[in-house]
Amino acid sequence: MADAPDAAGSKYPPADFSGWTCPAPLRDHERIVMGHGGGGTLSAELVEHLFAPAFGNQILAELGDSARLPASAERLAFSTDSFVVRPLFFPGGSIGDLAVNGTVNDLAMAGARPLFLSCGFILEEGVELAVVARVAHDLGEAARKAGVTVVTGDTKVVEAGHGDGVFINTAGIGRIPDGVDIGPGRAQPDDVVLVSGLIGVHGVAIMSVREGLEFGVEIESDTAALGDLVVDLLAACPDVHVLRDPTRGGLGTTLNEIAAASGVGIVLREDRLPVPDTVANACALLGLDPLYVANEGKLVAFVPPDQADECLAALRAHPLGKEAVAIGRCVTDHPGMVVSATGLGGTRVVDMPLGEQLPRIC
């Protein structure tokens, strides 16, 4: 298993402080101690010499109790999310970039351009500082890549055995352009349902590492920031009705939520669902349904039928949407229900799941 202890008894990579410029008190501790969350010297050094360089910007540099942000007369979107993924590092990503991409994508699904993030770290006593530094580095890099600024944050430390190394909460603010009106209640009969790419990849990537499963090829998470993809989509079709990122609960759960919110029925074409062979094989082995496996770099769009081709072309023109497909449509029949048309000419109901198939995947 990927998170099994090494020969030294640690489940994380060995600490590496080469190139650090922090003072002696921080160097004296290779692991998080309770004092790092106590608000004293150790806390200050952790912020100044580990987090601030990773997220560095002028707003954060003030290190006040709150960030002072430029005012805006436009509509704002606000979202928050918490991340408890295990393991912390996985093929294609880590909890650090996941914490950025997850919140950035929630803002983008409202049509908002992400602007600012807050970041709260819950650290377990005993976790190596090298691990925290690597997570913080990944988070900072993901923020810069997504064009969003980490402007404020917090750190707390819990006793050994009361956490799992690192938990992260991020909250974000984004600006919604004029004329954009996107929400789960706006789906309408005849809307075409688009998905931006292959589904189920993130959940299977996490499970393969966590359980030490081999599928012949390494499966990498699809975690990515979707803000630019949404910008391109809205440029082609300003009247997008619904956008959602099908994370926990997967595509099946997301579609059920939209159907319930808008009162439409949704009919999927089972033969058009973009399930890669690796995901299909893994799900068959594990007894899972790919429709309910989490994604972290895909979106679902409900668009007017007369603009569907343009929207699909706009998605496919972007690297994150090159495998976009139309998978179904909205109907007046069976309002609030999602069904899938099978290859045998029948239909099956795609229910809302009772719980998560794969816990701790984000």
Side-chain angles (χ1 to χ4, degrees), residues 11-12 51 81-88 95-96 99 119-124 127 131-132 135 139 154-159 161-170 360 362:
K11 62 180 179 180
Y12 300 111
F51 291 123
D81 204 349
S82 298
F83 299 86
V84 296
V85 66
R86 181 174 61 85
L88 299 178
I95 192 173
C119 177
F121 272 69
I122 309 298
L123 305 176
E124 183 183 12
V127 67
V131 170
V132 181
V135 170
L139 194 153
D154 183 49
T155 304
K156 292 292 187 294
V157 178
V158 297
E159 296 88 348
H162 289 259
D164 198 3
V166 179
F167 295 156
I168 302 176
N169 171 270
T170 48
R360 301 285 301 278
C362 67

Side-chain angles (χ1 to χ4, degrees), residues 163-191:
D164 198 3
V166 179
F167 295 156
I168 302 176
N169 171 270
T170 48
I173 296 174
R175 182 183 297 118
I176 303 175
D178 290 339
V180 173
D181 183 15
I182 296 173
R186 288 205 64 214
Q188 301 173 17
D190 296 325
D191 274 359

Side-chain angles (χ1 to χ4, degrees), residues 229-238 310 314:
L229 180 62
V230 171
V231 169
D232 290 355
L233 176 60
L234 290 176
C237 179
E310 293 177 48

